[in-house]
Amino acid sequence: MKKFLMLMTIFSLMILSACTGNEAENTDGNGKEQSNETFTIGVIPVQTEGSMEAAMEKLQSTLSEKLDRDVDVEVYPDYNGVVEAMNYDKIDMAYFGPLTYVIAHEKSGAKAIITQLIDEEPFYYSYIITHKDNPWNSLEDLLKNSSEADFAFGDINSTSGSLIPSIELKDREVYKSEDEHSFKSVRFTGSHDATALAVQNKQVDAGAIDSAIYNQLVDSGKVDGDQIKTIWKSEKLFQYPWAVHKNTDEETIKALKEAFLAIEDPEILDAFGASGFTEASNEDYESIRQAALKEGLIKE
């Protein structure tokens, strides 16, 4: 009996020791719980994936250090993929376009916490650009002969590459859909850099693009700005948000904000055409929400 009791005592101590060890692994020096799960971030393809790879690796490393946990940043092949990843709880955070954010907020409660700055302001524009050799100096000039022009949007879910310019063209009664319009042809390139290169290489006559990404492409030499001119500019648009899953705790949100606000690495910033980051909220995207409602992309 004594031997049995001794064995039970040893067994109990072993269990207690194992539990204590696991607790130590999941707490910091102050006894505070830490998550061992990887924090996952999905990013829309503002440029082709290869051109963003090095910057995303740096961002991943920076956030891992600041959050004191593994972070995985993945560039998705299209905008809708990031929305669905958030909707089905596959990611903890996402870098959305304003339109995709509005859709994700409606679908899954995604919450904007950070956006980027361009020349210290959280705004950008939709541009319509054309090759310098074309005779058009304004959108009005282009639309006088729209039947002779090949037009390009970016991703179909892009705010500046599709939503805002398509509303402008619908208001001018030259565009209803990809199949119903007054242009010679309409195509969706899938990304802003693809649109810029298509215009530069005269594969299309005009295209819609994010102003900040366009300027970044010119500054980096990926696009020759001397070959392109801007013939239309939208009103101000609030910049692309970084949004967290609706169940994200406040402590993690605070850590993420502090991490982004401290980023100064030019390679990370250049990937987004940014000069820095600032805080954002859902209310900042109300004008985009109204545009999405107008186009029937979300419902009241």
Side-chain angles (χ1 to χ4, degrees):
M1 185 66 177
K2 288 183 178 178
K3 187 177 290 186
F4 175 75
L5 290 172
M6 184 176 292
L7 287 172
M8 287 298 293
T9 301
I10 293 171
F11 183 65
S12 298
L13 288 170
M14 289 174 65
I15 293 175
L16 180 61
S17 175
C19 290
T20 304
N22 286 337
E23 183 179 350
E25 288 177 6
N26 289 288
T27 61
D28 61 16
N30 298 315
K32 181 169 143 188
E33 282 191 21
Q34 290 181 312
S35 173
N36 290 325
E37 291 184 5
T38 299
F39 190 83
T40 55
I41 302 176
V43 175
I44 61 170
V46 289
Q47 298 183 53
T48 52
E49 188 171 351
S51 64
M52 296 183 71
E53 188 174 344
M56 294 308 96
E57 287 179 359
K58 276 193 171 184
L59 177 62
Q60 184 172 283
S61 177
T62 297
L63 295 179
S64 293
E65 181 180 346
K66 296 291 185 180
L67 269 63
D68 195 23
R69 63 190 287 192
D70 289 338
V71 173
D72 179 39
V73 179
E74 180 181 354
V75 179
Y76 278 62
D78 58 64
Y79 284 51
N80 191 56
V82 184
V83 175
E84 292 306 307
M86 180 68 80
N87 191 35
Y88 288 101
D89 302 331
K90 301 296 184 184
I91 53 177
D92 300 300
M93 186 179 196
Y95 176 64
F96 290 118
L99 173 58
T100 41
Y101 165 68
V102 166
I103 294 171
H105 178 74
E106 292 294 316
K107 281 190 170 186
S108 59
K111 183 166 64 173
I113 63 168
I114 285 287
T115 193
Q116 58 209 41
L117 293 168
I118 306 297
D119 297 328
E120 307 309 317
E121 287 193 342
F123 303 107
Y124 74 116
Y125 305 89
S126 173
Y127 282 170
I128 291 178
I129 57 175
T130 189
H131 195 279
K132 71 174 182 64
D133 291 344
N134 289 325
W136 316 302
N137 294 308
S138 67
L139 183 56
E140 289 75 16
D141 290 343
L142 168 65
L143 298 185
K144 286 176 185 176
N145 299 290
S146 60
S147 61
E148 300 176 7
D150 297 304
F151 193 89
F153 294 105
D155 187 287
I156 197 168
N157 293 306
S158 169
T159 308
S160 56
S162 179
L163 174 65
I164 299 302
S166 70
I167 289 175
E168 181 69 22
L169 295 176
K170 285 177 181 177
D171 288 346
R172 292 173 183 253
E173 300 182 344
V174 295
Y175 176 80
K176 288 187 177 180
S177 70
E178 188 176 1
D179 300 318
E180 191 175 354
H181 53 78
S182 298
F183 293 102
K184 182 179 180 181
S185 71
V186 169
R187 71 181 72 173
F188 288 85
T189 67
S191 67
H192 295 292
D193 56 338
T195 298
L197 289 170
V199 170
Q200 177 179 293
N201 297 331
K202 299 185 178 181
Q203 295 167 335
V204 296
D205 296 298
I209 192 170
D210 173 317
S211 64
I213 297 299
Y214 171 71
N215 291 333
Q216 189 272 332
L217 290 168
V218 171
D219 290 343
S220 66
K222 294 176 182 176
V223 169
D224 185 355
D226 292 335
Q227 298 299 308
I228 297 173
K229 56 185 174 181
T230 300
I231 59 173
W232 179 79
K233 176 181 176 181
S234 72
E235 295 183 357
K236 284 183 177 180
L237 306 172
F238 205 81
Q239 269 291 353
Y240 294 39
W242 295 81
V244 293
H245 189 278
K246 64 181 179 181
N247 294 333
T248 307
D249 63 273
E250 288 302 318
E251 189 171 348
T252 299
I253 291 174
K254 180 182 177 183
L256 285 165
K257 286 181 178 180
E258 290 176 351
F260 273 95
L261 294 175
I263 291 175
E264 296 180 345
D265 188 303
E267 188 169 10
I268 295 175
L269 295 174
D270 286 350
F272 305 102
S275 57
F277 293 97
T278 189
E279 293 190 25
S281 68
N282 185 58
E283 289 70 28
D284 294 322
Y285 299 93
E286 181 58 27
S287 65
I288 303 301
R289 181 175 181 274
Q290 293 303 319
L293 284 168
K294 180 178 180 180
E295 292 298 291
L297 299 173
I298 60 173
K299 296 179 181 179
E300 285 281 13

